[in-house]
Amino acid sequence: MSQNKSNTKKSNKPQDQNYFEKPKSAKFKASRARKPQGKTNKPMDMELESLTVDTVKPTASKKPKTQSYKEYAKNHSEDFGKKQNQQYRQSKAQKNNSYGKNQKKYNPKNRGSKQNNQPAEKPPVRISFLGGLNEIGKNMTLFECMDDMVLLDCGMAFPDGDMLGVDLVIPDFSYVIENKDKLRGIVITHAHEDHIGGLPYLLSNVNVPIYSTALTSGIIGNKLREHSLPKPAQLKEVKAGETVTLGSIEVEFIHVNHSIPDAVGVAFHTPGGTVVHTGDFKVDYTPTWGEPIDLSTFARLGSEGVLCLLADSTNASRPGNTPTERTVSESFDNLFKKAAKKRIIIATFASNVGRVQQIINCAQKYGRKVAFSGRSMINYMSVAKELGYLEMPEGILIDIDMLSRYTPEQVVLITTGSQGEPMSALSRMAYSDHRKVSVGEGDCIIISANPIPGNERTVGNVVDELLKKGCEVIYESMYEVHVSGHACKEELKIIQCLTKPKYFIPVHGEQKHLRAHRDIAVSMGVPKENVYIGDVGKCVELTDEQIKEVKDVPAGKVFVDGLGVGDVGSIVLRDRKHLGQDGLIIVVASLDVYDGHVISGPDIVSRGFVYVKESENLLDEIRKVSREALDECANGNIGEWSVIKNKIRDAVSSLISERTGRYPMILPILMEV
């Protein structure tokens, strides 16, 4: 470094004499050590350090013409490159040792700014999946960063055929309740039951603000009024485009199209990076309500940098694009013309406000009155009309009790039951169990919905019953009376292209949907190792370096049966299934309190096993072997109730399986006298 010729004075000495090789006095050396060379205000050691890392370059010389550029570069830079890399690594190690000592605490308001020259140390982002993966419904996801948690959606699911007697299924809230001190709020994307149905049960244990758009907030409030909550809910109304701060997490709401108005996607701006969740969405450029999806915001987020994208996978296996809602309007218009002399009954989702508006518009055009059937339908339409999301022409709405005052061609009945639910209005009409509406010839019934996976059989049964009664039944596969509210392959590609995420997690769907969405992301350039397919109860940790699974969180299904929440478990369902398949045998006997001998009985009660009047001989044999088992226990001085009951079960079960090949539930009831 002392050989910097720019800082030396010109000399008159001959050019072949090396001035710098002359011996120097001790006084000269001390003077050179005290005074920094060149015009600089930096200390000598700082200047040398910066030169070592940034400014030292190999001495330039002319490239021999006989050598190629690659050979020349290799010969002249190999030694210097090794030395330069070694110096750079040493300098970087020194900086890393002191990294973070002078870092400022993260402030969400400074997101995107370049106020700090040093990069802030980013904390990890954790995502816990409490529902909505490998299943349809029950959507619930927890986001966590720096001891702040935000819950996205809190839905429910309908019970399947094995959940006998269960009314609905909600997520396991235990992990959220354990960490309620960290929970800063609940964010709801839209007002479908698979996203809000579990809220009343969670809010009985946790009371935090709920952020949602106007229609969603109104429907949630209407739902919560039906439940006696210990504290009033904190409903916070937001608009698409707004941002709220929940602890260290900024939540930005993005307008999307769906089968219900006021649906939003969400961007979580955290100290660890931005995580985008689309919610349920599709790309509709001509929606029946509101504006098209806000693709510009997704593009902006992509340009700023998206750490992870979570996107709706429901239609990931469907090619092309989801049709616009306006195609349904054209189909309704044609069907209204075709059914000019018939009563029209249309079954659709109660939450599909846009679809109901289309039906009302057609009814007005053809001079028909409109009536609603189904409690949820009436509740949704009341909220939508109150908030201005449903335009109801004056005098078009009538009460269902007034249907008999009009001829069939003068009315349209909009009802629930598009999924064949046993207690829904359409199902009760099909099985002649509706108190106010009887269907038959002269009725045109339109099912304006797709069966949710798992409901195909129940919908098919309802359609069969309606056809048996002489009704004309029209459903989605016959005419375009329904379009999905979920994005197909090409729309999912648009979101991938705009957001350009580093990591991708497909959500909302069964395994086949999640894997199909993974393939789409990989085809769009996301590395396969950066795509994560999770399951309920899994938790992932995201950093700039990796996405990895961490310890599982408590999660699962909680059954709601009547007023009971969680008191019906797998054992109860197993017993119900056993009873439903094989029936019940009850053995009742009174025993002497002193010696255990039979005083009266045993009496045999059969339910769902055999018809008693035709099986008296079999019941006598059951009574006989039960008496023998009781006498054996008494003679052997066996007084333990559990042992006595097991002996009765074994004896009766062996007899019944030998005689009938069946395995009913056997329930001994013993009393001491």
Side-chain angles (χ1 to χ4, degrees):
M1 291 301 174
S2 61
Q3 297 180 3
N4 191 336
K5 295 184 179 181
S6 62
N7 295 327
T8 60
K9 296 181 180 180
K10 292 184 179 180
S11 174
N12 295 325
K13 295 184 181 297
Q15 293 293 325
D16 57 348
Q17 186 175 359
N18 192 340
Y19 173 78
F20 294 99
E21 291 181 357
K22 288 183 65 177
K24 302 173 180 56
S25 65
K27 183 177 181 181
F28 175 80
K29 290 181 181 180
S31 172
R32 296 288 291 177
R34 287 195 303 269
K35 298 180 181 180
Q37 301 300 306
K39 295 181 179 180
T40 177
N41 295 324
K42 294 182 180 180
M44 190 66 172
D45 55 347
M46 290 294 292
E47 180 177 300
L48 291 177
E49 181 185 358
S50 63
L51 285 172
T52 303
V53 178
D54 300 321
T55 62
V56 176
K57 296 181 180 179
T59 304
S61 62
K62 290 185 178 181
K63 179 179 69 173
K65 294 183 179 180
T66 57
Q67 282 186 310
S68 68
Y69 178 78
K70 291 183 178 179
E71 291 174 345
Y72 172 80
K74 180 178 180 182
N75 294 335
H76 286 73
S77 64
E78 184 175 0
D79 294 338
F80 174 78
K82 290 180 180 179
K83 183 177 180 181
Q84 180 77 349
N85 290 338
Q86 184 178 5
Q87 293 172 339
Y88 178 78
R89 285 194 297 269
Q90 291 173 352
S91 174
K92 187 174 181 181
Q94 292 174 357
K95 291 182 179 180
N96 289 338
N97 290 335
S98 61
Y99 180 76
K101 294 181 180 179
N102 299 319
Q103 297 299 309
K104 294 182 179 180
K105 188 177 180 181
Y106 175 82
N107 186 352
K109 296 182 179 179
N110 295 332
R111 175 171 55 86
S113 66
K114 298 182 179 180
Q115 296 177 358
N116 297 329
N117 294 327
Q118 290 181 307
E121 186 176 0
K122 293 184 178 181
V125 180
R126 286 195 175 189
I127 306 176
S128 302
F129 302 99
L130 306 180
L133 294 182
N134 295 304
E135 60 186 0
I136 301 297
K138 202 161 65 66
N139 299 295
M140 188 175 179
T141 311
L142 189 66
F143 296 83
E144 179 180 2
C145 188
M146 292 180 63
D147 288 333
D148 295 315
M149 289 183 171
V150 178
L151 185 65
L152 183 70
D153 291 330
C154 183
M156 48 79 70
F158 293 108
D160 57 35
D162 294 331
M163 301 175 187
L164 302 173
V166 174
D167 297 326
L168 54 93
V169 184
I170 60 176
D172 183 352
F173 302 132
S174 57
Y175 184 66
V176 179
I177 295 172
E178 289 173 6
N179 295 277
K180 61 182 179 181
D181 293 337
K182 298 180 181 179
L183 189 63
R184 305 295 175 243
I186 302 173
V187 175
I188 304 296
T189 56
H190 63 283
H192 279 157
E193 287 294 322
D194 59 332
H195 292 258
I196 66 171
L199 273 176
Y201 305 96
L202 175 62
L203 294 178
S204 61
N205 298 287
V206 174
N207 189 269
V208 294
I210 302 170
Y211 297 88
S212 60
T213 52
L215 179 62
T216 305
S217 182
I219 293 173
I220 291 173
N222 194 42
K223 173 181 284 291
L224 296 180
R225 279 192 288 272
E226 300 176 3
H227 295 74
S228 299
L229 297 177
K231 294 182 180 180
Q234 305 176 50
L235 297 180
K236 307 290 185 181
E237 185 178 316
V238 296
K239 295 180 180 179
E242 292 184 352
T243 299
V244 297
T245 301
L246 304 178
S248 62
I249 302 175
E250 287 185 349
V251 182
E252 181 179 359
F253 296 86
I254 312 165
H255 171 68
V256 298
N257 301 130
H258 191 41
S259 56
I260 186 172
D262 254 7
V264 292
V266 179
F268 296 97
H269 300 287
T270 76
T274 298
V275 179
V276 176
H277 195 298
T278 63
D280 287 356
F281 84 102
K282 69 176 181 179
V283 178
D284 193 343
Y285 301 112
T286 56
T288 58
W289 184 92
E291 299 293 327
I293 183 173
D294 187 3
L295 295 178
S296 61
T297 295
F298 285 105
R300 173 179 58 79
L301 293 169
S303 64
E304 292 176 355
V306 173
L307 179 65
C308 184
L309 170 68
L310 291 82
D312 175 19
S313 308
T314 307
N315 281 350
S317 57
R318 292 189 179 186
N321 297 273
T322 303
T324 176
E325 277 285 333
R326 294 194 183 276
T327 60
V328 179
S329 295
E330 299 172 2
S331 297
F332 280 149
D333 192 77
N334 294 330
L335 290 172
F336 270 64
K337 291 178 183 177
K338 184 179 178 181
K341 299 297 183 181
K342 295 184 177 182
R343 179 173 63 175
I344 298 177
I345 300 174
I346 303 178
T348 188
F349 291 110
S351 59
N352 201 334
V353 179
R355 188 72 48 80
V356 173
Q357 184 68 69
Q358 292 173 296
I359 298 170
I360 292 173
N361 294 342
C362 274
Q364 183 186 24
K365 179 179 179 180
Y366 291 97
R368 292 178 181 251
K369 300 292 184 181
V370 175
F372 294 126
S373 178
R375 183 171 60 89
S376 60
M377 178 67 72
I378 295 172
N379 289 341
Y380 269 85
M381 294 309 111
S382 298
V383 174
K385 185 176 183 299
E386 180 182 346
L387 296 175
Y389 290 86
L390 187 68
E391 294 181 4
M392 192 79 67
E394 190 69 28
I396 196 173
L397 183 65
I398 61 173
D399 191 87
I400 192 172
D401 294 324
M402 299 175 64
L403 286 177
S404 59
R405 301 183 186 181
Y406 296 87
T407 58
E409 63 271 14
Q410 291 180 316
V411 295
V412 175
L413 178 62
I414 306 176
T415 181
T416 57
S418 61
Q419 298 303 307
E421 304 95 318
M423 298 304 295
S424 66
L426 184 64
S427 181
R428 287 186 280 121
M429 293 176 198
Y431 291 97
S432 302
D433 195 28
H434 199 288
R435 293 179 296 174
K436 299 179 180 180
V437 181
S438 298
V439 297
E441 293 184 8
D443 287 323
C444 177
I445 299 177
I446 303 171
I447 301 178
S448 182
N450 271 341
I452 295 173
N455 289 353
E456 295 87 354
R457 183 176 179 181
T458 55
V459 173
N461 292 339
V462 170
V463 170
D464 287 344
E465 291 298 322
L466 293 170
L467 291 172
K468 289 177 184 178
K469 287 179 167 52
C471 302
E472 180 185 1
V473 184
I474 296 170
Y475 42 93
E476 186 263 345
S477 60
M478 299 171 63
Y479 296 91
E480 290 183 332
V481 293
H482 175 70
V483 295
S484 176
H486 302 272
C488 293
K489 280 187 176 181
E490 297 306 315
E491 297 153 277
L492 298 175
K493 289 181 180 179
I494 291 174
I495 298 299
Q496 288 282 345
C497 182
L498 293 177
T499 56
K500 302 184 286 290
K502 182 169 186 177
Y503 305 114
F504 174 65
I505 303 176
V507 294
H508 298 182
E510 298 172 341
Q511 185 69 200
K512 58 186 178 183
H513 306 127
L514 304 180
R515 289 182 176 271
H517 205 171
R518 176 198 61 186
D519 295 340
I520 293 172
V522 172
S523 72
M524 295 295 293
V526 180
K528 193 170 183 179
E529 62 271 16
N530 285 6
V531 180
Y532 174 78
I533 296 180
D535 199 358
V536 175
K538 296 296 182 181
C539 180
V540 294
E541 188 173 272
L542 305 172
T543 62
D544 285 335
E545 288 75 27
Q546 64 178 345
I547 177 172
K548 65 176 182 178
E549 276 191 3
V550 292
K551 184 180 178 181
D552 291 356
V553 299
K557 298 176 180 179
V558 175
F559 303 124
V560 178
D561 187 0
L563 298 178
V565 180
D567 56 349
V568 174
S570 58
I571 296 176
V572 175
L573 290 179
R574 183 195 64 192
D575 289 345
R576 289 181 179 181
K577 187 176 182 180
H578 192 182
L579 288 169
Q581 292 177 341
D582 301 303
L584 172 69
I585 293 289
I586 302 176
V587 180
V588 184
S590 298
L591 307 181
D592 191 301
V593 69
Y594 297 107
D595 57 15
H597 284 89
V598 178
I599 295 177
S600 65
D603 296 323
I604 309 300
V605 180
S606 172
R607 290 292 182 271
F609 172 55
V610 291
Y611 186 51
V612 175
K613 291 184 178 180
E614 295 179 357
S615 306
E616 291 182 355
N617 293 335
L618 177 60
L619 296 180
D620 288 339
E621 290 187 65
I622 294 174
R623 186 179 296 107
K624 180 180 178 181
V625 298
S626 299
R627 178 63 182 262
E628 291 174 353
L630 288 169
D631 290 341
E632 181 182 348
C633 290
N635 295 332
N637 294 323
I638 298 175
E640 288 289 335
W641 289 98
S642 59
V643 176
I644 299 173
K645 289 180 179 180
N646 285 334
K647 285 188 173 293
I648 295 174
R649 287 194 191 97
D650 293 341
V652 174
S653 177
S654 178
L655 173 67
I656 292 175
S657 63
E658 181 181 342
R659 295 284 190 274
T660 65
R662 304 177 192 174
Y663 299 90
M665 181 177 288
I666 301 169
L667 182 63
I669 299 177
L670 305 177
M671 297 172 288
E672 286 185 334
V673 179

